Amino acid sequence: MASSGYEYLLESSVSPEIVPQLLERLKCLTDTPFSNGSAFKEQTRIYMLRGNGPARVTVYCNRSLNDDDEEPHWQIRYLGVPEPSTGGRKPVLMRSCITSTAQGDCFHFLSDLGFRISNVFFLQGHLFLKGKVSITVAQVLKPTTAEGTISDAQPVSAAHMVQARLVAGAGSAADVEHLWSVADLLKPLVSTWKAP
């Protein structure tokens, strides 16, 4: 089953020393029913379809690597080109988003359509929810072998990525305001947010 909407996104990064304080702040501020947020590990594979000229289509394929997921499915996400956000007091990245799930190997299908793999990485961290906003605090890991398992992956940076994300309809000033109000709760631990 597929869902579509617009993704509103803010990104930042924090040093490893800040992460324990940030996780404590998020535990107190968010609606997540877990005491430490939802700890997660996932693999992401990015596929691109290049057309004539600079235009390209990008598809993100994610799957959970958590031990409690017996048969993880791939989540396939199309993210459109960034558009100017409308409404709200500050800018955010806004782009169309179509999400679907797939069982089994979806990569032959993508290859048959002309997509080629562009990047592979892992995320390991925590996910928190505050209303419609999801906040991710995670470290990005790159595989070091051709098999690309998370056990031998190495951090891209010592810093941890922080994302605040909301999926809703297009051009909703209230949603942009809500995203920023949640992001502002994390100051001064997360001092600078950017619309990537």
Side-chain angles (χ1 to χ4, degrees):
M1 182 172 156
S3 62
S4 63
Y6 276 81
E7 176 186 69
Y8 299 87
L9 180 69
L10 292 169
E11 284 188 337
S12 189
S13 63
V14 294
S15 65
E17 301 79 37
I18 299 294
V19 171
Q21 297 172 59
L22 179 57
L23 295 179
E24 284 298 318
R25 170 84 55 94
L26 285 164
K27 287 179 200 178
C28 297
L29 293 176
T30 58
D31 312 323
T32 307
F34 310 102
S35 61
N36 66 340
S38 178
F40 74 94
K41 296 180 285 188
E42 74 177 26
Q43 180 186 26
T44 299
R45 299 174 72 161
I46 302 175
Y47 286 82
M48 287 187 164
L49 177 64
R50 297 188 185 275
N52 295 330
R56 65 176 185 244
V57 177
T58 305
V59 173
Y60 294 77
C61 299
N62 305 313
R63 70 172 174 145
S64 171
L65 299 175
N66 291 351
D67 295 335
D68 55 349
D69 293 331
E70 294 179 12
E71 292 186 36
H73 302 297
W74 286 95
Q75 180 188 65
I76 302 172
R77 296 176 65 221
Y78 160 78
L79 297 173
V81 295
E83 302 175 27
S85 60
T86 56
R89 58 192 162 102
K90 298 177 185 174
V92 299
L93 181 137
M94 182 181 87
R95 55 191 175 185
S96 60
C97 175
I98 302 172
T99 305
S100 184
T101 56
Q103 294 180 345
D105 184 356
C106 56
F107 307 117
H108 287 99
F109 173 70
L110 290 171
S111 179
D112 288 346
L113 292 176
F115 284 88
R116 297 294 174 255
I117 193 158
S118 168
N119 202 353
V120 177
F121 61 90
F122 301 97
L123 290 179
Q124 183 169 325
H126 295 82
L127 173 68
F128 296 86
L129 302 173
K130 177 72 172 171
K132 297 193 295 184
V133 177
S134 64
I135 302 115
T136 304
V137 180
Q139 194 163 36
V140 181
L141 309 168
K142 288 289 285 182
T144 57
T145 64
E147 293 77 30
T149 63
I150 195 168
S151 60
D152 59 25
Q154 295 295 316
V156 171
S157 165
H160 284 61
M161 172 189 71
V162 183
Q163 285 187 332
R165 178 178 179 264
L166 183 150
V167 177
S172 171
D175 287 324
V176 172
E177 285 292 330
H178 179 51
L179 182 61
W180 269 110
S181 69
V182 172
D184 286 342
L185 292 173
L186 303 182
K187 290 180 177 178
L189 297 174
V190 183
S191 56
T192 306
W193 290 97
K194 63 179 181 179

